[in-house]
Amino acid sequence: MTRPDAEVPAPGRPVVFRGGTVLTMDDARTVLTEADVLVVGDRVAEVGRALRAPEDAWEVDAGGGILLPGMIDTHRHMWQTAMRGYGADWTLTQYFVWYYMEHGKAFRPEDIHAGNLLSAWEALEAGVTTTVDWSHGLRTTDHAEAAVDALRAVPGRFVLAYGNIHAAPWEWATDPEVRSFLERHRTGAGGLLDFQLAFDVTGDPDFPEKAAFEAARDLDLPVTTHAGVWGATGDDAIRLMHEHGVMTPRTVYVHAASLGADSYQRIAATGGSASVSTESEQSAGQGYPPTWQLRRHGIPVSLSMDSSAWWSGDLFSAMRTTLGADRAREHLAAHERGETVTHVGLRAEEVVEWATRGGARALGRDDLGRVAPGAKADLVLIRNDASPVSFPLLNPYGQVVFQAQRGDVHTVLVDGRVVKHAHRLVDADLPALRRTAEATVDHLRSSLGEDAWTAGMHPELPRQEVLDNPYQYTAYRSGSTHAARDE
């Protein structure tokens, strides 16, 4: 059997992982230790111990590591990635002003391409094998062509969720040019690229968004929508969608944070799912991360990271912050009742499922999110022999959620193809990628002007008052505590 060397195998060559801890993500969340996984073509062929592999199989030592399904991000504004970290101190209002009302119009097709290209490689590097590109910067079909070209240039699995924040959804979704674009690119797209429609519902009683839902139905495309976003989309939007019969099991409700019980019941009753972006919700202000509500109402959950203009581009951060936010809410609610939580309700294994199989379910892909014979060979090996954090490996789910990070991703397969190995991306021209991203930054910076660029990155701080403190220990502050006490 061939041992791995500096070169990775050509696509189509069998691959076998040896001796790893395998998170199968089956219904029982079975964990196999010292197990092998054989990949033949684009599928997992066998899972077990001491598997016999074809003579030409390329072997990966998974000993001491964790093998899990490729992670799935169901909501990422990939086109914004060249603005990495720019909005670190933004609120949602400042984000809306920057992208929706002012500077989002400055993005050219080549800037959409640059963001998508950078984001696509970033996702693979972190073990995210499927990403929904919530692409609401597509002002023209030229922008859309650039987005698709970038996604096809990277060996990952992607869903282009077509959107346009600079026009009403009932306008662009019914545009014959947009329809022609979607029909043309869906033909022969293969299993690595799929499509959705991405738009929001404002709650207007006339429900003008109905035309966009009808366009999605005619094109047989799922809808992904920002729902439950404080001050933007709320319960009226869900009610209108339900009353007009456009809520389906294929609908993905992003954030779903600022909703009432009636809305959650409508989502649950129609079989929809929620994409939770905890880093986003807890920082930007869409509402408290809603996993505690979603669990109460039986609504399936997937995870997403939203935008690299703000947050981490990996799902390790998403899993960690999601588990922390849910448990913080559980403890806080108990403390308000004068009680103590002794057994937390949300476990690490469930959050790992949301990051993998939960995303697969949201996309209607039963062949993803599992390590099982017949499933697509989208796999991630977490192994880092150079890190003391990699051992001892006691609780693999806890290791993934609380200990691992993107730098621990050793090997990544997408559709049976090795796209990362030995902690390095395969065939990624990072210097060229850097130049492309920097060209977009230069364009935007010059378009805005230096003053607007700086002001956008550093919004004005609100005044913060410090509460009066009645306990002023003058003697303590002067260092004469004992003297004051003796007197």
Side-chain angles (χ1 to χ4, degrees), residues 2-11 13-15 56-61 410-413 417-428:
T2 305
R3 303 295 302 180
D5 52 26
E7 299 297 325
V8 299
R13 182 177 171 187
V15 176
D56 64 337
W58 192 73
E59 186 173 302
V60 179
D61 181 3
H410 182 279
T411 300
V412 179
L413 269 64
R417 175 178 177 178
V418 179
V419 300
K420 182 180 181 181
H421 180 63
H423 305 283
R424 297 181 67 88
L425 289 166
V426 176
D427 295 332

Side-chain angles (χ1 to χ4, degrees), residues 360-382:
R361 287 174 176 142
L363 300 180
R365 293 293 301 265
D366 187 54
D367 57 344
L368 301 178
R370 299 180 296 122
V371 183
K376 282 285 190 178
D378 291 11
L379 302 171
V380 174
L381 173 63
I382 298 172

Side-chain angles (χ1 to χ4, degrees), residues 36 109 112 123 201 313 315 323 387 403 476 484:
D36 302 342
I112 299 291
V201 180
L315 292 192
L323 193 60
S387 171
Q403 309 298 324
Y476 172 79

Side-chain angles (χ1 to χ4, degrees), residues 81-114:
T81 307
M83 297 293 291
R84 186 188 309 285
Y86 180 89
D89 296 319
W90 278 350
T91 62
L92 194 62
T93 299
Q94 288 153 346
Y95 169 84
F96 284 157
V97 169
W98 206 96
Y99 278 112
Y100 284 51
M101 299 172 62
E102 295 179 353
H103 310 304
K105 300 182 181 70
F107 279 72
R108 306 162 299 176
E110 54 262 48
D111 302 318
I112 299 291
H113 185 276

Side-chain angles (χ1 to χ4, degrees), residues 109-283:
E110 54 262 48
D111 302 318
I112 299 291
H113 185 276
N116 272 27
L117 201 62
L118 182 58
S119 184
W121 280 116
E122 174 185 25
L124 292 183
E125 196 260 344
V128 178
T129 55
T130 300
T131 306
V132 175
D133 176 20
W134 223 99
S135 197
H136 58 350
L138 307 182
R139 294 190 297 115
T140 69
T141 51
D142 287 341
H143 288 74
E145 294 285 357
V148 165
D149 287 347
L151 298 181
R152 284 185 166 148
V154 179
R157 197 181 299 278
F158 303 101
V159 177
L160 179 71
Y162 194 112
N164 179 3
I165 56 177
H166 300 293
W170 53 92
E171 296 171 347
W172 62 259
T174 58
D175 185 336
E177 192 172 345
V178 172
R179 184 185 184 105
S180 175
F181 165 87
L182 291 168
E183 290 176 336
R184 183 172 68 256
H185 282 287
R186 289 185 74 186
T187 303
L192 294 179
L193 180 64
D194 211 337
F195 294 87
Q196 297 176 342
L197 290 191
F199 59 87
D200 298 340
V201 180
T202 63
D204 182 335
D206 292 333
F207 195 54
E209 297 87 0
K210 183 178 180 181
F213 281 103
E214 291 173 343
R217 180 197 62 204
D218 293 343
L219 290 163
D220 191 26
L221 292 178
V223 169
T224 176
T225 182
H226 291 119
V229 175
W230 181 263
T233 58
D235 293 317
D236 285 341
I238 300 297
R239 177 182 55 79
L240 288 165
M241 290 172 63
H242 190 255
E243 290 175 350
H244 285 85
V246 296
M247 298 174 73
T248 78
R250 302 170 74 194
T251 308
V252 178
Y253 304 87
V254 176
H255 301 306
S258 300
L259 296 174
D262 183 72
S263 292
Y264 290 122
Q265 289 170 344
R266 292 177 193 261
I267 293 172
T270 53
S273 66
S275 175
V276 176
S277 305
T278 304
E279 281 191 298
S280 179
E281 288 121 25
Q282 68 184 9
S283 178

Side-chain angles (χ1 to χ4, degrees), residues 242-405:
H242 190 255
E243 290 175 350
H244 285 85
V246 296
M247 298 174 73
T248 78
R250 302 170 74 194
T251 308
V252 178
Y253 304 87
V254 176
H255 301 306
S258 300
L259 296 174
D262 183 72
S263 292
Y264 290 122
Q265 289 170 344
R266 292 177 193 261
I267 293 172
T270 53
S273 66
S275 175
V276 176
S277 305
T278 304
E279 281 191 298
S280 179
E281 288 121 25
Q282 68 184 9
S283 178
Q286 293 91 339
Y288 197 88
T291 49
W292 63 287
Q293 287 279 37
L294 301 172
R295 292 190 294 121
R296 291 177 63 201
H297 290 88
I299 296 172
V301 178
S302 63
L303 299 183
S304 56
M305 58 72 54
D306 205 338
S307 172
S308 287
W310 259 305
W311 302 292
S312 311
D314 65 84
L315 292 192
F316 294 106
S317 296
M319 286 187 282
R320 190 168 302 163
T321 55
T322 298
L323 193 60
D326 192 286
R327 289 178 176 179
R329 173 63 178 72
E330 186 177 12
H331 287 298
L332 180 62
H335 296 172
E336 289 175 343
R337 299 190 302 267
E339 300 173 0
T340 298
V341 174
T342 59
H343 294 73
V344 291
L346 182 61
R347 303 302 174 94
E349 62 187 52
E350 188 167 2
V351 178
V352 175
E353 179 168 293
W354 291 346
T356 54
R357 200 170 178 187
R361 287 174 176 142
L363 300 180
R365 293 293 301 265
D366 187 54
D367 57 344
L368 301 178
R370 299 180 296 122
V371 183
K376 282 285 190 178
D378 291 11
L379 302 171
V380 174
L381 173 63
I382 298 172
R383 178 187 167 195
N384 190 350
D385 294 342
S387 171
V389 181
S390 65
F391 57 84
L393 178 53
L394 307 177
N395 178 344
Y397 288 110
Q399 185 78 15
V400 170
V401 174
F402 283 125
Q403 309 298 324
Q405 56 185 318

